[in-house]
Amino acid sequence: MGSNVEDKEVATAQNQQEYPVGEAGWEQVSKWYLDVFEADLKAAGRSKRIINRDMSCADIYLNYFLQRLMDVEFPDVDISTLVIKDENRGILAKGCREVGCYISRYYIHKDLTATPYNLEQTVQAIKNFYESMMKHGYVSGDDYKFMCSVIESEMDDWLEECELVCVEAFGEDEWRKMRKGETYFI
């Protein structure tokens, strides 16, 4: 039987499994992260509805926001040579630091499903995603804590901004009906 040190080394090696990206590019990288995240959600006993919601939110964050951010911030990176554990860590860490930009500039103003309730659900899903990535060593604890502090300090402002965008988009009376459930909304 192995010692605790050996057991920790095996667990660390499993968490640091390298996954060469190959020809598929960012889609393959994000699929890897999403597969890890989905396995964690299932292992935690989350309901199918929560798994689907969190996976959808993480997918949108990775493939519609972070990919574009990566194209701007890392234009010289040859994605085909990346290995998830090492070189790609900076991309996910950047995503941790840019969650405020995503919520305030992208999600609230460009996502058709953005309502205060959906915003809270989306933020929770992103937190869950990054908690999973931290657990596996793909982002640091410091990056995760920073992201959580941004969410905590900005959430009220995001909710207020989202409410204003909804009122502007639908009109005050119609939005009030939607909030009461009198009118169907996406």
Side-chain angles (χ1 to χ4, degrees):
M1 179 145 311
S3 70
N4 285 341
V5 172
E6 289 172 347
D7 292 342
K8 286 180 183 177
E9 287 173 0
V10 169
T12 300
Q14 289 170 343
N15 283 342
Q16 293 181 356
Q17 180 179 6
E18 293 184 349
Y19 183 82
V21 176
E23 295 296 317
W26 180 250
E27 292 80 17
Q28 195 170 351
V29 172
S30 65
K31 182 175 180 343
W32 172 259
Y33 290 136
L34 291 170
D35 288 347
V36 169
F37 181 42
E38 184 174 26
D40 282 352
L41 291 171
K42 287 178 178 177
R46 304 286 185 192
S47 71
K48 193 170 196 154
R49 183 184 68 79
I50 297 297
I51 291 172
N52 289 340
R53 180 203 70 197
D54 283 9
M55 292 295 295
S56 176
C57 292
D59 179 50
I60 290 168
Y61 186 70
L62 286 173
N63 291 311
Y64 292 95
F65 178 75
L66 195 54
Q67 179 185 8
R68 284 159 182 75
L69 181 68
M70 185 184 73
D71 290 344
V72 171
E73 296 291 326
F74 301 97
D76 299 327
V77 171
D78 178 4
I79 195 79
S80 67
T81 64
L82 289 181
V83 175
I84 294 240
K85 181 62 186 165
D86 298 318
E87 293 89 347
N88 211 17
R89 178 188 288 256
I91 296 168
L92 271 190
K94 180 74 172 172
C96 263
R97 293 187 299 274
E98 296 297 333
V99 72
C101 178
Y102 170 71
I103 296 297
S104 65
R105 294 185 184 164
Y106 177 82
Y107 181 80
I108 292 173
H109 296 281
K110 299 192 185 310
D111 192 308
L112 295 176
T113 66
T115 65
Y117 173 78
N118 289 346
L119 183 140
E120 289 178 318
Q121 300 301 306
T122 297
V123 168
Q124 185 59 52
I126 292 170
K127 266 179 84 171
N128 292 345
F129 172 75
Y130 272 106
E131 183 176 26
S132 171
M133 296 300 101
M134 179 186 68
K135 173 181 151 188
H136 291 281
Y138 299 136
V139 295
S140 72
D142 288 342
D143 286 329
Y144 178 74
K145 287 177 190 172
F146 176 80
M147 182 195 69
C148 289
S149 71
V150 167
I151 289 169
E152 186 177 332
S153 67
E154 298 294 325
M155 185 59 109
D156 289 340
D157 291 338
W158 295 337
L159 290 169
E160 183 178 324
E161 182 179 357
C162 190
E163 181 82 20
L164 291 172
V165 169
C166 288
V167 167
E168 184 178 305
F170 301 109
E172 195 168 331
D173 290 339
E174 191 63 28
W175 175 242
R176 192 176 305 118
K177 288 178 189 176
M178 287 179 187
R179 289 195 62 187
K180 290 180 177 180
E182 297 171 9
T183 303
Y184 177 75
F185 185 63
I186 299 173

